[in-house]
């Protein structure tokens, strides 16, 4: 049973527009959430995080929103750039572990 | 340069032949972890280590062993590999517990 779900395997967005990646979770005990970005043949790299006591965190073009009542997390990228094409993973912290979603492949079209 | 290194990057082996994948970090991080990535399943944690000589099972530890004798190294050992361990493996480290983890480049293992 997957505790962290990314229901969209892929997403295609026009360059310059907003990209919205979604993540749902089932465990209300998760206290910290992270987004990672992964290019082919490389390891994931950390992008942005949010504590469960907040509902928004912003870093440049990247904003993460947390809706605890809906157990829903989203990552907004504005404006989307060609270099944003990658697989994005959300992860949730539970104790000493991170529980990961399956990833969403973001494709930025010129 | 701060980094996590893994070796080998690619490995093809046969069922039952013991192998070790090395992982080393140069950031003096206490926390290290091993993951496997399979299509449609994301990353699943195999083992993690909070510090030297302290290791614990993740979600999928069966068939794997680890050791943490030094802070910088965290090798993954497959005593008797089987085809269902064919996967992409990542080592990661972080300072002060589970948070922003730095990942190695990955090891693609094929067991025939």
């Amino acid at each position: 049973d997957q505790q962290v779900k990314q229901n969209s395997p892929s997403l295609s967005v026009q360059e310059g527009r907003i990209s919205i990646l979604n993540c749902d979770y089932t465990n209300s005990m998760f206290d910290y959430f992270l987004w990672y970005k992964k290019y082919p043949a490389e390891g994931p790299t950390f992008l942005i995080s949010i504590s469960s006591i907040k509902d928004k965190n912003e870093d440049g073009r990247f904003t993460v929103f947390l809706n605890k009542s809906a157990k829903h997390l989203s990552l907004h990228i504005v404006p989307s750039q060609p270099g944003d094409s990658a697989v994005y993973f959300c992860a949730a912290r539970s104790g000493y572990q991170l529980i990961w979603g399956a990833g969403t492949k973001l494709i930025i079209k010129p | 340069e701060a980094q996590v290194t893994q070796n080998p990057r690619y490995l093809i082996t046969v069922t039952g032949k013991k192998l070790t994948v090395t992982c080393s970090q140069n950031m003096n991080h206490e926390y290290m972890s091993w993951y496997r990535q399979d299509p449609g399943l994301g990353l699943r944690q195999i083992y993690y280590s909070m510090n030297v000589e302290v290791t614990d099972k993740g979600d999928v530890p069966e068939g794997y062993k680890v050791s943490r004798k030094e802070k910088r190294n965290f090798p993954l050992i497959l005593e008797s590999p089987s085809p269902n361990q064919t996967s992409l493996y990542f080592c990661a480290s972080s300072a002060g517990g589970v948070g922003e983890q730095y990942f190695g480049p990955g090891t693609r293992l094929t067991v025939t």
Side-chain angles (χ1 to χ4, degrees):
Chain A
D1 180 33
Q2 284 190 295
Q3 297 186 67
V4 178
K5 291 182 183 177
Q6 295 177 256
N7 291 317
S8 299
S10 66
L11 176 67
S12 188
V13 174
Q14 203 78 32
E15 182 179 353
R17 303 286 199 128
I18 182 170
S19 294
I20 300 176
L21 296 101
N22 294 305
C23 180
D24 296 297
Y25 62 96
T26 57
N27 188 342
S28 58
M29 299 302 290
F30 290 146
D31 66 344
Y32 193 65
F33 301 88
L34 306 91
W35 283 94
Y36 281 80
K37 176 179 179 178
K38 185 183 180 302
Y39 293 120
E42 294 183 12
T45 54
F46 170 75
L47 199 53
I48 192 169
S49 62
I50 188 167
S51 165
S52 61
I53 62 173
K54 300 198 171 188
D55 54 21
K56 178 182 173 181
N57 188 26
E58 199 170 347
D59 184 1
R61 296 186 299 116
F62 302 92
T63 303
V64 56
F65 295 93
L66 176 61
N67 182 333
K68 285 179 66 179
S69 60
K71 294 192 178 68
H72 180 80
L73 194 66
S74 63
L75 173 68
H76 292 212
I77 306 174
V78 185
S80 299
Q81 298 175 353
D84 296 330
S85 293
V87 176
Y88 289 79
F89 291 97
C90 68
R93 187 170 69 187
S94 175
Y96 297 119
Q97 295 183 256
L98 287 184
I99 310 300
W100 296 72
T104 296
K105 184 175 184 178
L106 176 63
I107 300 162
I108 305 302
K109 301 178 294 186
Chain B
E1 180 192 353
Q3 61 182 352
V4 178
T5 56
Q6 294 179 229
N7 282 293
R9 292 290 311 276
Y10 302 92
L11 179 60
I12 300 174
T13 189
V14 296
T15 299
K17 186 176 181 184
K18 180 179 178 179
L19 65 92
T20 299
V21 184
T22 64
C23 172
S24 183
Q25 50 94 4
N26 63 1
M27 296 167 279
N28 202 36
H29 285 167
E30 292 86 8
Y31 186 94
M32 296 187 75
S33 180
W34 276 103
Y35 296 92
R36 59 178 289 173
Q37 183 189 3
D38 301 292
L41 294 177
L43 277 74
R44 293 181 293 167
Q45 192 172 45
I46 302 169
Y47 269 95
Y48 63 95
S49 169
M50 294 297 294
N51 214 325
V52 175
E53 302 292 358
V54 181
T55 63
D56 209 346
K57 296 177 181 178
D59 296 319
V60 288
E62 294 78 20
Y64 305 94
K65 282 176 57 176
V66 293
S67 67
R68 187 93 182 271
K69 293 186 171 63
E70 306 164 279
K71 200 171 189 178
R72 64 183 293 127
N73 296 324
F74 191 44
L76 180 70
I77 302 153
L78 285 72
E79 295 268 4
S80 182
S82 62
N84 64 12
Q85 293 177 298
T86 292
S87 188
L88 179 58
Y89 291 86
F90 290 102
C91 179
S93 73
S94 61
V98 183
E100 302 166 18
Q101 296 187 14
Y102 292 78
F103 280 79
T107 295
R108 186 164 291 281
L109 172 66
T110 302
V111 183
T112 62

